[in-house]
Amino acid sequence: MQPPVAAVIEAHRTLERLVAGLSDQQVAEASALPGWSRGHVLAHLTDNARMFARLARHALRGELVAGYDGGVDERNAIIEATAGRSAAEHRAQLAAHTAGLEASWACATDVDWSRPVTFRNADLAATVFARWREAWIHMVDLQLGVRPDDWPEDLAAHAIDFLFSRLPAGTHVRAEDVGRQWSGGDGPPVTMVTGGVRDLAAWLAGRTPVVPPVAAEELPALGPWPPHPPQRLDRL
């Protein structure tokens, strides 16, 4: 599948506009993620771009490297060490690393997208989809005016595809605004959840939908984020 590079670049430009006027005080304020300031979210988005660019550069040379040599501890340490940057420093580093990521992707041919990477034991194309999720979901977490109803429709549908495994077996999901349904197994649904495609994606991503999805009884409990081996660090 051809990865949505142009859509991710558009998300990057939206993110840059979103933080263009951010003050140092706003950076230090709480985000929607427990225990994380806006600075933590920006540090994560910045280093996530750096990490994906590293994977891409090596993949294009036919090399496999870990996203983080030191695993989750290294990832967390980088976020903590850089969360306290000034607003100007955050903007500069975010712009530099997103540009580096986009430059790495620009070197990829159609054949290159299938090159393996250690991220989720997948291929280079999977990192583009992951960055797409990262950018839009974390823009909501920044609490600067972007809401799930601002997400592109195709991003929301992709997020449902990716996150559907969080639902119990027998759960079916129907996005009434786009006429699309996701089915959890064969046979009639045990539970049917309906809503707008963006609201369903937000709910599955653990974010607050603009209009909550509904079910005949109560909404099913969500399971953990789609499993992946240790070191595959695309936490959202």
Side-chain angles (χ1 to χ4, degrees):
M1 179 184 297
Q2 192 71 16
V5 174
V8 180
I9 292 173
E10 182 178 350
H12 284 165
R13 302 294 85 80
T14 302
L15 174 60
E16 289 170 5
R17 290 191 295 270
L18 187 66
V19 302
L22 206 60
S23 69
D24 292 348
Q25 179 179 339
Q26 288 174 306
V27 166
E29 290 171 349
S31 74
L33 294 176
W36 272 21
S37 67
R38 288 194 181 101
H40 285 85
V41 177
L42 291 172
H44 171 50
L45 282 167
T46 297
D47 195 59
N48 176 262
R50 180 200 64 78
M51 183 269 288
F52 279 152
R54 165 185 160 91
L55 293 182
R57 288 193 303 271
H58 284 275
L60 293 174
R61 297 197 294 262
E63 301 167 356
L64 281 173
V65 295
Y68 294 90
D69 291 331
V72 68
D73 290 341
E74 179 187 355
R75 170 195 174 278
N76 292 342
I78 290 171
I79 293 171
E80 289 298 330
T82 58
R85 288 169 171 157
S86 69
E89 289 169 332
H90 274 296
R91 281 190 287 270
Q93 290 298 310
L94 179 64
H97 286 295
T98 54
L101 177 58
E102 291 169 12
S104 297
W105 288 345
C107 296
T109 67
D110 289 346
V111 174
D112 289 326
W113 295 117
S114 62
R115 289 180 179 271
V117 295
T118 56
F119 176 80
R120 290 186 175 272
N121 290 330
D123 57 20
L124 186 58
T127 68
V128 181
F129 283 97
R131 182 64 182 179
W132 200 22
R133 299 190 301 269
E134 291 275 349
W136 279 109
I137 292 175
H138 282 313
M139 276 193 266
V140 171
D141 295 334
L142 286 169
Q143 299 191 116
L144 293 171
V146 170
R147 305 193 307 171
D149 56 354
D150 296 311
W151 291 348
E153 179 185 308
D154 49 354
L155 176 278
H158 160 68
I160 296 173
D161 289 339
F162 178 72
L163 296 167
F164 191 82
S165 63
R166 299 191 73 188
L167 293 170
T171 304
H172 291 209
V173 168
R174 184 170 65 241
E176 297 181 318
D177 54 341
V178 297
R180 183 170 173 184
Q181 182 165 312
W182 290 258
S183 299
D186 299 327
V190 175
T191 302
M192 174 66 77
V193 179
T194 60
V197 66
R198 294 167 179 84
D199 292 316
L200 290 163
W203 167 60
L204 285 170
R207 272 62 181 182
T208 302
V210 175
V211 179
V214 298
E217 297 181 0
E218 62 180 4
L219 290 173
L222 297 178
W225 206 260
H228 49 77
Q231 312 297 319
R232 310 300 181 258
L233 305 170
D234 67 330
R235 173 185 177 274
L236 293 179

